[in-house]
Every structure is written in C-alpha cells, then in structure tokens.
Amino acid sequence: MRFLLVLIFMAHVAFIQSDSPAFDLEGHRGCRGLMPENTVPAFLKALDIGVNTLEMDVVISKDRQVVVSHEPYFNAAFSIAPNGLPVDKKEQKNLVLYQMDYAEIKRYDVGSNGNAAYPEQQRLKVYKPLLSEVIEQAEAYRKAKNLPSFSYNIEIKSEPSEYNKSQPEPAEFCELVQAVLKKQLSAERVNADRIVIQSFDFAVLKQWKKGMTEGQYLNVRLSALVENLRSPEKNLEELGFKPNIYSPNFRLLGQSKITKLHEQGIKVIPWTVNQRDDMKRLKEWGVDGLITDYPDRANGL
C-alpha cells in the first residue's frame, strides 16, 4: 500500500512539473519586439520560438466583447483608422474601445505601420482579436504543429480612475472574462490550470479570488503585477492574500526579495526583460520565469 502511495505521489509531481516548467518564458503581448503586439500572428510566432506562456492584455468593447489590447483606445504609435489614415496622437484617447462595438474595432489596422520603438517588428495588416479567437487559433496551431502544452497569462487592464469610463468595474470585468474562458476552455478542452489572471488593479485579483473561493470562477493562478516602489510585504498586505505569482518590473527586484517571496511559496516572474544580460542575471538570482518582448533572445539561457 505504501509503495502504491509513493507511485501516486510521484505521478502527481510529474504531472505538476509537466504543466509548470522549471523556467517560465513568457512572450509579452505575444512577442511585441518581433510581431504586431497582442495579435494572433504575434502569439503564433511566440509559440514557434518556444515560449511556455502567451502573455496578453484584455479590455472590453461597447457590446461587451473581451478584446485583446493593451490600451483601452487605439494607440497612435501604430494604429490606422478604417479610412486608411494613421490615428492622430491628439485623438487617440478619444477612440475608446469601451465606446465602440467590436465590429468597428476590427476595422482598424494595428500592424501595417509597424512600431518605431521596435524596429525588428514585422509589418503586416492585422486587427485586434477577441480573446476567444486567440485561444481558438493558438489551440488549433498547437494541435497542427504538435507543440507542447503552454499557458495563457491574461492581464485584465484595469485602473480605478477608469471604472465606467474606459472599462467596467472589476466585478463585471471579471465576469465577462470568466464567461469567455469557461466557454472556450470547455470547447477546446483546455485545463484551467493553464490560465493565469494578472492585474495591477488588486481589486480585480480580490474579485477573482472571491469568485474562486465561492466556487463561481475557474480555479486559475493569480499574479500580482507591480510597478510601485513599495516592498513586496506592503503590496501583499494590501492584496490581502498570497498570490501564486508576484510579477514586478524587473528593475525593482533583488536577490533577497526573490528569496523572501520564495519562502512564502510565491513564484517571481518579472517584466519586461528585453536585454540578454538582464535575463541571465535574473535567472541566476532564481526568478521562476520572465516576461519579454523578445523571447528569441532567451534561447540558451
């Protein structure tokens, strides 16, 4: 009997390890340095490179669709309006996705102009996809290419000052994302343990934690995004629970902070790490992964 229990335990550990790589390489917005950010081609390219996790952002449209986009508006740095003219920087924040139906959003080109900040980025005509489409396309690609399992790290783009302006409040926002995931994961037979929900807005994480505790939400991993100068202890105190992942700007990290977070059973995955020297140093310090615009630069670390 004891031997059987040992075998079961070893099989369980092997299962966890197979879905949780020793080092989690995450493609930021797909692979923003190489392809138009937060688009299907960027996510598929990231899978070709060999990421463990596709990182993306989601916002909400007027007709309550979950759209993959970093800003809740059309960024003038790379967006082209349906009339073929580049979006004017003075007008960009008036083009609020929360005030536009998805059919209108889809008419904007967010790839043909490229992005001057990322000269290696390939230019191609492409639109902001729905979260459901990203999962459908990524899962179909995984099957067609016989790729290993990977995760989805979905950032709910939320700011308290923008509630009911460019986004819904956290409860509704989470409900909309949860509904898409529940439907999509069932259709694609994707396990919820392949999903991470992250946010800078701790109200979002608290809402999702509450939903999981009550058995209403999918039991996903939660990641606290951080860009403030407060200590991890202060941020965790504000959050009110231990997240699965603590995800700060990489410049805020030191080896002692990583060690202290690990002692609490919290993984550390910093953003956005684009230089290979920084990648190597952080890995030597013991981070559990990293989020990068250039996942190709992490090869051989």
Side-chain angles (χ1 to χ4, degrees), residues 92-217:
Q92 63 178 3
K93 291 190 177 180
N94 294 327
L95 298 171
V96 179
L97 277 62
Y98 193 51
Q99 297 170 7
M100 303 166 68
D101 286 342
Y102 181 65
E104 183 179 359
I105 292 169
K106 194 174 180 180
R107 295 177 62 208
Y108 282 73
D109 176 358
V110 292
S112 293
N113 267 355
N115 187 329
Y118 301 92
E120 294 178 43
Q121 187 184 103
Q122 182 179 335
R123 300 185 181 205
L124 70 162
K125 188 173 183 179
V126 70
Y127 57 86
K128 292 182 183 290
L130 295 176
L131 175 60
S132 57
E133 181 186 1
V134 169
I135 295 174
E136 287 170 5
Q137 293 288 336
E139 291 305 307
Y141 197 73
R142 180 173 73 90
K143 292 170 187 173
K145 298 279 189 176
N146 196 28
L147 299 174
S149 180
F150 57 85
S151 294
Y152 297 89
N153 186 1
I154 301 165
E155 179 183 347
I156 293 181
K157 296 299 296 184
S158 178
E159 294 182 31
S161 62
E162 289 298 309
Y163 294 172
N164 300 312
K165 296 177 183 178
S166 67
Q167 63 167 92
E169 294 190 22
E172 183 184 357
F173 206 149
C174 288
E175 290 286 350
L176 291 167
V177 175
Q178 153 78 8
V180 171
L181 291 176
K182 196 167 184 179
K183 180 179 179 181
Q184 204 60 44
L185 300 193
S186 174
E188 300 294 336
R189 293 182 174 83
V190 178
N191 293 327
D193 59 10
R194 287 174 57 197
I195 302 294
V196 176
I197 294 295
Q198 63 176 357
S199 189
F200 287 102
D201 186 353
F202 285 2
V204 165
L205 299 178
K206 291 176 183 179
Q207 174 67 28
W208 204 287
K209 179 71 171 178
K210 178 175 179 285
M212 289 196 300
T213 301
E214 295 173 351
Q216 297 175 353
Y217 285 11

